[in-house]
Amino acid sequence: MKKIMMANAIGAALALTAFNALAAAPADWSAVPAIETGVFYPGVSPVEWITKGTEHGGARVLRKGETCAACHSEEIADMGEKMVSGKKIEPSPIPGKAAFISTTVQAAHDGENLYLRFSWKQPAASGSAPMDELNPMKIAYMLEAGDKVELAGQAGCWASCHGDARTMPGADANKTKYVKDGSLAGGIYYDLNQWRSGENKSFDGYVADHREMEGGQALVGAEGKLEGDIWSVVFTRKFTGGEGDVALVPGNTYNFGFAIHDDATSGRFHHVSLGYKLGIDAEGDITASKL
């Protein structure tokens, strides 16, 4: 009994420590500017598809340096509808799956930590068999610095999505996301943070020549909750960390994208954002100002 009580006490202390680490996030998020954007169902649209001019009309302007957001920011819900219904580049549509999830993104920092808050209304369940029985929802975001990853500045995290990665039609079941010519040592990678609802666990990894879900040291943690039908998830991330952690510096901007695995899905069956710029005390699509 004493051992059980001691274990419970240690667990409570660890939980309190984790809570206190996250408690430095804004107490009143209503005072933090909010960006209304969203994630859409992308179907089978890997980077090879978006850069192939015979199938994607935007490939031509993409080669000229235009961004995906510049062309598509006003039509992401419509794009999601075309793909989720199977009208375009989705060979295996899931009946009842949401086409688009309107999402609010907020960012702030205290000089040492970045705080990112995502909130959205839970879509109706499709009724399909769960792909990830442990996690009804997962959310992740990726950062990239210096445009070292080809297309990261134009397409956000799309440069890590390839047609030969797992869950793509006919692809290798063991192959993860990766970056063309990716190199952790060479700085050619994405910083990846994820939170899983069922496990209530956060991950700090990266995507270079392959994906690693752990190993980073910048993510303090994430806290998520579902109140009624509204999700809110707050990530707390230190400015600097270790392997695979992009160092954040006030005055700089970073390539940014995020994804939501709704309806207990996994792999490519997620909802994704376009590519955006995250500014730290700098103008961006999303700006994190000091508290």
Side-chain angles (χ1 to χ4, degrees), residues 40-269:
F40 67 100
Y41 184 71
V44 183
S45 57
V47 67
E48 292 85 3
W49 183 86
I50 70 168
T51 55
K52 190 175 181 180
T54 56
E55 298 182 27
H56 174 228
R60 179 176 56 84
V61 294
L62 196 66
R63 286 193 290 269
K64 292 182 178 180
E66 190 59 271
T67 67
C68 296
C71 288
H72 297 304
S73 61
E74 301 299 321
E75 58 181 11
I76 53 178
D78 293 336
M79 292 193 302
E81 179 58 39
K82 288 179 181 179
M83 290 179 271
V84 81
S85 64
K87 294 177 183 177
K88 189 174 184 179
I89 57 174
E90 178 47 79
S92 305
I94 299 173
K97 187 174 180 65
F100 171 76
I101 303 174
S102 179
T103 314
T104 300
V105 183
Q106 295 165 279
H109 76 88
D110 59 11
E112 296 182 356
N113 301 290
L114 169 69
Y115 306 102
L116 283 170
R117 181 176 186 266
F118 301 86
S119 54
W120 67 95
K121 183 178 180 179
Q122 170 70 52
S126 68
S128 60
M131 299 177 190
D132 183 350
E133 294 184 355
L134 288 177
N135 299 291
M137 188 279 293
K138 299 187 291 285
I139 181 170
Y141 69 89
M142 295 207 292
L143 298 169
E144 193 273 344
D147 294 326
K148 291 184 178 180
V149 173
E150 184 180 355
L151 291 179
Q154 297 169 266
C157 51
W158 229 279
S160 68
C161 178
H162 296 272
D164 61 352
R166 70 183 187 90
T167 71
M168 288 291 188
D172 185 339
N174 297 311
K175 196 164 190 176
T176 66
K177 289 179 177 291
Y178 64 94
V179 169
K180 178 184 177 183
D181 302 321
S183 168
L184 194 61
I188 307 172
Y189 67 91
Y190 288 100
D191 186 354
L192 167 66
N193 290 165
Q194 184 193 72
W195 182 73
R196 300 179 184 178
S197 64
E199 299 171 69
N200 190 22
K201 185 177 180 180
S202 54
F203 295 81
D204 187 349
Y206 63 85
V207 180
D209 58 331
H210 68 288
R211 183 183 63 186
E212 288 286 350
M213 292 303 298
E214 298 181 287
Q217 299 174 20
L219 186 63
V220 175
E223 188 175 62
K225 58 184 176 181
L226 180 62
E227 294 185 325
D229 60 357
I230 302 298
W231 274 106
S232 62
V233 180
V234 177
F235 288 88
T236 300
R237 181 201 187 277
K238 292 183 290 187
F239 272 18
T240 57
E243 184 176 72
D245 293 321
V246 167
L248 303 180
V249 178
N252 288 355
T253 60
Y254 301 86
N255 297 314
F256 171 80
F258 65 100
I260 296 173
H261 275 96
D262 173 58
D263 204 26
T265 56
S266 62
R268 73 172 182 85
F269 296 96

